[in-house]
Amino acid sequence: MTVDAVPANRVVHADNLTLLASLPDACLDLVYLDPPFATGARRRSTAGHAFDDPGDLATFVAWLRPRLEGVHRALTPHGSLFVHLDYRAAHYVKVELDRIFGARRFVNELIWCYSIGGRNRRAFGRKHDSILWYARGPDWHFDADAVKVPRRAGSHMRVERDDDGAEVQVKRDRKTGKEYRYPLAAGKVPEDWWTDIEALNRSDRERTGWPTQKPEALLERIIRATSRPDDLVADLFCGSGTTAVVARRLGRRWLAVDASADAVRITRRRLAASTP
Ligand SMILES: C[S@@+](CC[C@H](N)C(=O)[O-])C[C@H]1O[C@@H](n2cnc3c(N)ncnc32)[C@H](O)[C@@H]1O
């Protein structure tokens, strides 16, 4: 298959390992993977659709390994992989990713914090996911300006007004006396912990009924930061199609793959109902 023949703007019903084997080298610019989390659970949507989640960690990692290797081969030199996990599997998968991509290609562990869901009476609430970001090569794409967030006025820095009246955060280096000035309106690059994107609640208008659906805002930040218009963005565990919908809206080419016929149907329906 030539790079021109790579399936783009398509929802593919397949095991992603089979799909990966059919792709040429270096054809995907950004890959987001949100695999079943090794909970051992059978996940069920509100409509009763279900998929199995490989139970124990060793089985899960062995199952995921060839998929991570396939993605490594299929990424373009400036491309990136994001693997969305939680506290159960993140550390085991990181060891695999360090081996496949090289520890120097580990860019960020993004901590996505949310608050909804059940409470634990015997431990601190487990209210974050870990998203591991690996780059294919040393020159990964990162557009900091595309994802800036507001600076918070309530930080330790004092706020002054510039000559034109604009608010500026001011920090003075005690040793050198040098002054740093950060206009509030210019925003800042987000940290690697994200508290400004809530998980979807049951009645959220984005909800499709797929049990593990992620918020569009989460994918939007990842896609804006690490891909360019017309790049090919692939989600090989697409579930309800969140990545495809957002990638299309942002002018990227996209590829959505899922082994479940229900997920494929929901993704197609969602794409048809949303504005390109
Ligand atoms: C955690 S969900 C993804 C949810 C998605 N991020 C969303 O926003 O809706 C994991 C998905 O992986 C799919 N899946 C599991 N094994 C797969 C495989 N071998 N190939 C492709 N998809 C698979 C499941 O059917 C399920 O839809």
Side-chain angles (χ1 to χ4, degrees):
M1 202 191 287
T2 65
V3 174
D4 289 342
V6 172
N9 305 333
R10 275 179 52 191
V11 186
V12 179
H13 181 203
D15 186 314
N16 48 25
L17 195 57
T18 313
L19 186 281
L20 275 165
S22 75
L23 295 179
D25 293 355
C27 63
L28 306 175
D29 299 296
L30 169 60
V31 177
Y32 169 79
L33 301 180
D34 177 18
F37 270 178
T39 58
R42 186 163 176 78
R43 309 300 296 254
R44 197 167 284 284
S45 73
T46 47
H49 313 313
F51 62 91
D52 285 319
D53 184 337
D56 75 278
L57 273 166
T59 309
F60 175 70
V61 172
W63 172 83
L64 194 58
R65 183 179 300 125
R67 293 167 169 87
L68 301 177
E69 289 168 343
V71 169
H72 180 259
R73 184 187 62 75
L75 276 175
T76 54
H78 64 269
S80 285
L81 166 66
F82 289 77
V83 189
H84 192 141
L85 300 155
D86 72 5
Y87 64 94
R88 282 167 285 227
H91 311 89
Y92 297 84
V93 175
K94 181 178 186 299
V95 172
E96 284 302 313
L97 285 164
D98 278 351
R99 193 184 57 73
I100 297 167
F101 281 71
R104 286 192 313 155
R105 299 290 170 257
F106 174 46
V107 185
N108 273 142
E109 178 182 10
L110 300 168
I111 303 297
W112 173 43
C113 305
Y114 42 84
S115 55
I116 64 174
R119 293 281 146 194
N120 193 333
R121 303 284 305 170
R122 286 172 42 84
F124 297 109
R126 298 184 178 116
K127 295 293 169 191
H128 78 271
D129 288 356
S130 296
I131 306 176
L132 304 176
W133 173 13
Y134 280 76
R136 179 66 178 83
D139 298 319
W140 61 85
H141 177 71
F142 184 63
D143 185 349
D145 290 332
V147 287
K148 285 207 169 150
V149 292
R151 283 187 165 273
R152 271 192 295 247
S155 85
H156 63 287
M157 287 186 256
R158 81 173 183 276
V159 176
E160 290 179 359
R161 288 210 180 260
D162 250 349
D163 295 344
D164 55 5
E167 287 186 312
V168 182
Q169 275 178 334
V170 183
K171 187 172 79 179
R172 190 186 299 277
D173 187 312
R174 282 207 195 138
K175 277 195 196 135
T176 63
K178 193 171 171 200
E179 196 172 80
Y180 297 89
R181 301 177 73 78
Y182 305 102
L184 282 185
K188 62 170 184 176
V189 180
E191 290 82 10
D192 58 2
W193 43 271
W194 297 353
T195 55
D196 55 346
I197 299 173
E198 189 49 271
L200 300 180
N201 62 49
R202 279 177 194 282
S203 56
D204 198 289
R205 55 173 192 81
E206 278 182 34
R207 270 276 177 212
T208 61
W210 198 249
T212 52
Q213 184 182 344
K214 300 301 179 295
E216 292 184 10
L218 189 69
L219 272 302
E220 180 162 339
R221 184 170 288 165
I222 291 172
I223 293 170
R224 276 189 190 281
T226 61
S227 70
R228 286 173 278 227
D230 225 33
D231 272 359
L232 183 51
V233 176
D235 186 335
L236 306 181
F237 294 97
C238 78
S240 64
T242 311
T243 308
V245 166
V246 177
R248 184 178 68 168
R249 194 164 64 222
L250 296 177
R252 275 63 169 172
R253 293 173 300 131
W254 51 271
L255 171 61
V257 182
D258 205 288
S260 149
D262 291 328
V264 166
R265 199 172 314 118
I266 287 174
T267 297
R268 289 196 175 128
R269 204 188 304 146
R270 189 172 173 189
L271 281 160
S274 65
T275 329

